[in-house]
């Protein structure tokens, strides 16, 4: 099993995420990634976002929001084309 690589979410990653939101299941479970969200992610010091790659193939997205008292909230999803292949578990295990 190849190691997962977390790369900071950039403009190209943002554009790629938009294409994933043609998937009805992703639309149902998560808010559409807007420019306002992307700017917030890029400019807030306690908000971090990554695209997760496996051998340069994007397999998921993860966001960490750190609130006062060091409480963190994780949101993540798997590339819709790769669901039910264990990537969700791998992403969380690699991150934690």
């Amino acid at each position: 099993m190849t190691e997962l690589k977390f790369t900071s979410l950039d403009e190209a990653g943002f554009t790629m995420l938009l294409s994933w939101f043609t998937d009805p299941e992703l639309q149902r479970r998560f808010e559409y990634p807007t420019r306002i969200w992307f700017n917030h992610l890029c400019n807030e010091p306690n908000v971090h976002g990554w695209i997760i790659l496996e051998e340069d193939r994007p397999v998921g997205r993860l966001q960490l929001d750190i609130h006062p008292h060091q409480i963190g909230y994780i949101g993540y999803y798997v590339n819709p084309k790769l669901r039910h292949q264990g990537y969700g578990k791998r992403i969380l295990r690699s991150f934690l």
Side-chain angles (χ1 to χ4, degrees):
M1 199 175 297
T2 308
E3 185 175 326
L4 297 179
K5 179 181 175 186
F6 288 69
T7 61
S8 292
L9 185 62
D10 59 10
E11 188 69 37
F14 173 67
T15 301
M16 181 196 59
L17 291 180
L18 297 177
S19 71
W20 289 5
F21 272 80
T22 58
D23 178 71
E25 183 68 16
L26 197 55
Q27 290 175 12
R28 188 173 72 77
R29 294 182 180 266
F30 289 90
E31 289 185 31
Y32 187 79
T34 64
R35 176 63 57 185
I36 293 170
W37 166 80
F38 180 66
N39 289 339
H40 176 77
L41 183 88
C42 293
N43 295 309
E44 286 295 324
N46 292 330
V47 179
H48 310 279
W50 298 273
I51 293 292
I52 299 97
L53 304 171
E54 180 182 56
E55 296 180 353
D56 297 324
R57 176 176 65 160
V59 298
R61 191 276 298 176
L62 188 136
Q63 179 175 331
L64 173 65
D65 295 10
I66 302 170
H67 293 267
H69 308 293
Q70 300 300 309
I71 297 170
Y73 296 91
I74 297 172
Y76 74 101
Y77 47 83
V78 173
N79 179 338
K81 295 177 182 175
L82 300 173
R83 278 198 199 109
H84 308 293
Q85 298 179 37
Y87 283 105
K89 289 177 188 174
R90 287 183 60 202
I91 288 168
L92 279 179
R93 285 183 182 141
S94 294
F95 184 72
L96 298 174

